[in-house]
Amino acid sequence: MNYLNPDLDFDALGHTLRTTGRVLIRNFFSMEVANALDQALQRIDWQLAYRDLNGDRRLTGEQLRSLTPEQRWQLTEGIHSVAREGFQFSFFSDSLVEALQQGRTDLLARFMRYMAEDDFLSRMRTLSGDASINGVYAQATMYSRGNFLTAHDDHVEREDRRLAYVINLTRQWSPDWGGLLHFTGEDGSVLDTFYPHFNSLSLFTVPQPHFVSYVPPFAMGERQAITGWLIAAERGATTA
């Protein structure tokens, strides 16, 4: 099966990535693959990913559904209080790395396996010019009303992240619904913005300052994607 769109000009796209540090590639996968991934995301029982004062946290779908209105308010207030002081995120996720580790055989787990194989990784090495890329981390993500990702550069000391990516799988979106990927300069000004076109790949070098804008209460949809990092890792590794 041909996963990638054979009509793409990878030489030109790679030049843009290597020159500017980022590129937005429209129609990256074959439509058959994009449609299958979209359908798979609709079946996820999402977990809420966020930070509290002690670090990263996740609440399962079952845990979220059991919360009372008061508990939901307290959760939101806690998320916002951390955001006032520093880095914070609030979005829904499903780890594809864990899917493989748990022995899942659904389409998303198989897609994770495809990204960890050399056919995909070699394409990423060619695009970026970084011969050290040899592993991938992936998660399905969903930004719904109230979700956001504050400014950061993706650098993590214990991991060797080389590229960050977003495989956009949202069919209908509006720019005033937030959820846009913004790249910032040293003074905080927005230098570039990537819109989540369906079946597009946002690819950018690490470290690079960026954030995902807040999704307001009036948004009429969810921004869904597969996101993660391409890393320098031991041969055959899927995570850092």
Side-chain angles (χ1 to χ4, degrees):
M1 179 179 181
N2 188 5
Y3 276 74
L4 305 185
N5 178 359
D7 297 327
L8 292 173
D9 186 345
F10 285 103
D11 290 338
L13 294 167
H15 177 74
T16 300
L17 175 60
R18 295 188 296 272
T19 303
T20 67
R22 54 186 175 267
V23 65
L24 175 62
I25 307 175
R26 300 286 299 274
N27 301 313
F28 184 72
F29 292 102
S30 71
M31 191 53 65
E32 180 182 1
V33 169
N35 287 336
L37 290 173
D38 173 36
Q39 292 173 12
L41 293 185
Q42 309 312 315
R43 295 189 287 270
I44 293 176
D45 188 15
W46 295 97
Q47 300 184 22
L48 177 66
Y50 66 99
R51 291 172 58 85
D52 64 16
L53 295 176
N54 296 312
D56 296 357
R57 293 288 180 266
R58 282 196 295 178
L59 291 177
T60 66
E62 183 178 355
Q63 290 172 323
L64 287 169
R65 289 186 290 272
S66 71
L67 295 178
T68 66
E70 175 68 18
Q71 289 171 326
R72 285 182 176 273
W73 181 86
Q74 292 175 346
L75 174 62
T76 300
E77 283 300 299
I79 289 171
H80 290 171
S81 68
V82 172
R84 294 185 191 104
E85 302 297 327
F87 176 59
Q88 176 62 298
F89 52 82
S90 172
F91 58 83
F92 295 90
S93 74
D94 182 48
S95 172
L96 303 193
V97 173
E98 290 182 5
L100 283 186
Q101 294 171 342
Q102 295 167 358
R104 280 170 43 184
T105 59
D106 57 86
L107 186 142
L108 290 176
R110 298 196 303 274
F111 185 72
M112 174 71 205
R113 188 173 293 110
Y114 157 75
M115 287 194 296
E117 293 174 348
D118 198 60
D119 183 55
F120 180 78
L121 293 177
S122 64
R123 177 65 69 182
M124 296 298 104
R125 288 192 289 266
T126 301
L127 272 172
S128 65
D130 189 339
S132 68
I133 291 173
N134 200 39
V136 62
Y137 173 84
Q139 62 177 334
T141 60
M142 179 178 72
Y143 282 76
S144 188
R145 290 166 287 280
N147 291 154
F148 60 90
L149 174 62
T150 62
H152 64 295
D153 65 8
D154 272 354
H155 174 72
V156 175
E157 194 66 37
R158 67 181 181 276
E159 300 177 8
D160 199 352
R161 299 174 178 176
R162 300 305 179 92
L163 293 173
Y165 68 87
V166 182
I167 300 168
N168 293 293
L169 295 164
T170 304
R171 291 191 181 276
Q172 294 183 331
W173 197 250
S174 176
D176 55 11
W177 293 352
L180 304 182
L181 176 58
H182 299 287
F183 299 93
T184 60
E186 293 183 1
D187 63 354
S189 59
V190 174
L191 303 177
D192 202 357
T193 298
F194 283 2
Y195 181 87
H197 302 279
F198 181 75
N199 191 20
S200 66
L201 173 69
S202 301
L203 195 62
F204 56 97
T205 56
V206 176
Q208 187 166 171
H210 62 283
F211 69 98
V212 176
S213 53
Y214 178 83
V215 180
F218 61 80
M220 298 295 290
E222 287 78 34
R223 197 206 84 170
Q224 297 183 341
I226 294 174
T227 68
W229 300 275
L230 294 151
I231 61 178
E234 295 180 1
R235 178 66 60 178
T238 56
T239 64

